[in-house]
Amino acid sequence: MIRNPKPGQRVRFHYAKARRAVCQLHGYEGVVVAASKGPGPRNVCVQVPGVGVVVCVPCGNLARVDK
């Protein structure tokens, strides 16, 4: 899980085993476009190159990709 994602950081989608069938992006990698800082929900917008879309997800569903 990533606590403070930064724009430009590479991430991988990671969902719980029970949710993987519903959340079809499990295992995909992308680049952080924007991240919220607020006290409320900590959502992150991630651009997924293979799919060609920008997806907003909670930061708890992301894992850092080491280079």
Side-chain angles (χ1 to χ4, degrees):
M1 179 177 103
I2 297 178
R3 293 188 185 270
N4 295 314
K6 305 280 189 248
Q9 184 176 9
R10 293 183 48 102
V11 294
R12 182 180 64 248
F13 292 95
H14 182 78
Y15 291 96
K17 193 178 275 190
R19 301 284 300 163
R20 289 180 188 169
V22 177
C23 303
Q24 300 173 354
L25 292 174
H26 178 76
Y28 278 77
E29 293 183 5
V31 178
V32 174
V33 177
S36 66
K37 301 182 188 303
R42 307 274 319 236
N43 294 329
V44 179
C45 291
V46 178
Q47 183 176 15
V48 184
V51 181
V53 296
V54 174
V55 182
C56 291
V57 297
C59 66
N61 290 339
L62 298 174
R64 185 179 64 201
V65 174
D66 294 326
K67 294 179 182 175

